[in-house]
Amino acid sequence: MSAHGSIRTLGLAVAQLGPVHLADTRQAVVARLVEMMRQAQALQAEFVVFPELALTTFFPRYWMSEEEAVGRFFEKTMPNPAVQPLFDEARRLEIGFCLGYAELTPQGRRFNTSILVDRNGEVIGKYRKIHLPGHAEHKPDAPFQHLEKKFFEVGDVGFRVSRLGQTRIGMCICNDRRWPETFRVLSLQSAELVVLGYNTPSHNIHWDEPAHLRMFTHLLCLQASAYQNALWIGAAAKCGREDGFHMIGGSVIVAPTGEIVAQATSEGDEVIAARIDLGLSDKFRQHVFNFAKHRRPEHYRLIVERTGAGDPLR
Ligand code: CDT
């Protein structure tokens, strides 16, 4: 028994990915992911988190047609021959993973997707990004674009929790982490661990935001969400200077206490790991965040009745 009353643990690794440039091939990126999967396994990890849109550069920064984007950056099947080595290595090492990529469905729909893969290399969960930041129109005066609203549809599968062995895992992607509803909907399904990848530009093209706030708000959201929902979070950046466009690092593993237990120190390929105690959530869920006992959803109706802010209730 641990000090927190449970012996259930998971070896969790987060694989931060340094820049992926326009000229980099899928094969070269997958070789880097395979190498980090091996490092994760050497650190006794059973599950590894890879970033959002991990197989390519963060292409929503470039103005182009949807057809061009599909041809260059989207995956028509998963796995496919370029990504198969990652699935093969997962099966060989008996390690699960989550991976973000741009998904083109057989019907021609486009999503910013992440999949959950078990230690047999089987896809057991899929999430399609719900909170799509940025814009759909061309901003010729901006230093770069953020065209997620042009290239992707809003995800259509909701926030789901999958069982990976003994662990209940939920997924979200990047901007979703800034919305408290994301984590609450997952924790209401008893998620114990939420995993996500992100590409967060250091520069805000919409207003002159001090650069240090990008890291601060990233960590603030993860630490608050882990604590308020009594769950673990593993968050993997793609970061550094991709073809000259800088994105923050700061990949982390956050405990249900809100404390960071591991954090990347570089802006390159880097694996961090921790053996996480899933029982650490129990005391929070039994007491301060005992949802059944203390939540008052009858007073939260506006959360689902309104999207934007409006007048005070009468
Ligand atoms: N990839 C992604 O969702 N990035 C956003 C940038 C926000 S600024 C438009 C993020 O929340 O980190």
Side-chain angles (χ1 to χ4, degrees):
M1 295 284 272
S2 78
H4 305 288
S6 170
I7 53 167
R8 262 189 337 121
T9 66
L10 177 76
L12 176 66
V14 167
Q16 176 174 284
L17 189 55
V20 175
H21 303 298
L22 275 170
D24 293 342
T25 63
R26 302 273 207 295
Q27 286 76 7
V29 176
V30 168
R32 287 162 63 185
L33 301 180
V34 165
E35 170 55 26
M36 289 202 285
M37 184 177 270
R38 291 181 184 144
Q39 290 176 26
Q41 205 249 3
L43 293 167
Q44 273 78 55
E46 297 154 276
F47 186 83
V48 56
V49 185
F50 291 116
E52 173 190 34
L53 300 175
L55 301 173
T56 66
T57 198
F58 188 62
F59 64 88
R61 77 166 69 88
Y62 300 109
W63 178 257
M64 71 190 98
S65 69
E66 285 84 345
E67 293 70 30
E68 182 180 352
V70 164
R72 295 175 66 184
F73 301 111
F74 280 71
E75 311 304 316
K76 286 93 195 162
T77 55
M78 185 56 65
N80 55 44
V83 186
Q84 190 63 47
L86 187 66
F87 283 71
D88 293 343
E89 194 66 2
R91 199 175 306 117
R92 191 180 76 79
L93 298 174
E94 298 187 348
I95 189 166
F97 66 94
C98 77
L99 175 74
Y101 64 98
E103 177 192 11
L104 183 74
T105 73
Q107 297 74 32
R109 300 175 70 189
R110 300 181 306 272
F111 295 102
N112 185 341
T113 295
S114 89
I115 46 169
L116 193 65
V117 180
D118 71 12
R119 56 198 306 181
N120 301 313
E122 301 293 333
V123 177
I124 59 162
K126 179 178 278 191
Y127 170 69
R128 292 171 170 160
K129 188 175 180 179
I130 287 174
H131 298 101
L132 297 174
H135 49 99
E137 75 288 3
H138 190 203
K139 290 187 179 294
D141 296 331
F144 57 88
Q145 311 293 302
H146 198 115
L147 294 165
E148 290 196 58
K149 287 198 191 297
K150 174 178 170 72
F151 293 133
F152 302 117
E153 280 182 56
V154 172
D156 62 350
V157 290
F159 296 104
R160 298 298 177 94
V161 171
S162 307
R163 204 175 252 284
L164 184 105
Q166 297 273 302
T167 311
R168 290 185 295 270
I169 302 186
M171 289 185 284
C172 66
I173 300 178
C174 193
N175 193 260
D176 289 321
R177 74 197 187 289
R178 303 187 192 273
W179 300 92
E181 294 87 349
T182 298
F183 293 93
R184 186 48 53 97
V185 169
L186 289 170
S187 64
L188 281 169
Q189 298 170 71
S190 306
E192 299 168 292
L193 167 65
V194 175
V195 292
L196 62 118
Y198 58 97
N199 286 263
T200 298
S202 309
H203 182 78
N204 185 339
I205 59 171
H206 302 287
W207 62 281
D208 194 16
E209 183 180 14
H212 74 274
L213 289 181
R214 280 302 168 108
M215 183 62 78
F216 174 73
T217 57
H218 155 68
L219 295 176
L220 177 71
C221 291
L222 295 181
Q223 292 185 255
S225 299
Y227 169 66
Q228 291 172 335
N229 295 287
L231 44 74
W232 288 87
I233 298 178
K238 180 148 67 58
C239 60
R241 223 167 263 290
E242 283 191 339
D243 286 320
F245 299 97
H246 189 262
M247 300 189 293
I248 65 167
S251 300
V252 279
I253 297 174
V254 186
T257 57
E259 295 167 296
I260 293 171
V261 300
Q263 180 164 359
T265 54
S266 75
E267 290 183 343
D269 293 7
E270 180 177 345
V271 179
I272 58 172
R275 178 146 293 278
I276 66 172
D277 177 358
L278 297 164
L280 189 51
S281 304
D282 295 348
K283 287 285 178 276
F284 294 95
R285 290 188 185 220
Q286 285 159 11
H287 298 284
V288 61
F289 296 127
N290 184 328
F291 288 172
K293 203 167 168 186
H294 303 307
R295 288 185 76 249
R296 293 288 170 253
E298 67 274 24
H299 293 291
Y300 310 153
R301 284 176 42 191
L302 279 191
I303 287 178
V304 290
E305 289 175 355
R306 282 189 191 173
T307 305
D311 290 332
L313 293 175
R314 292 178 194 238

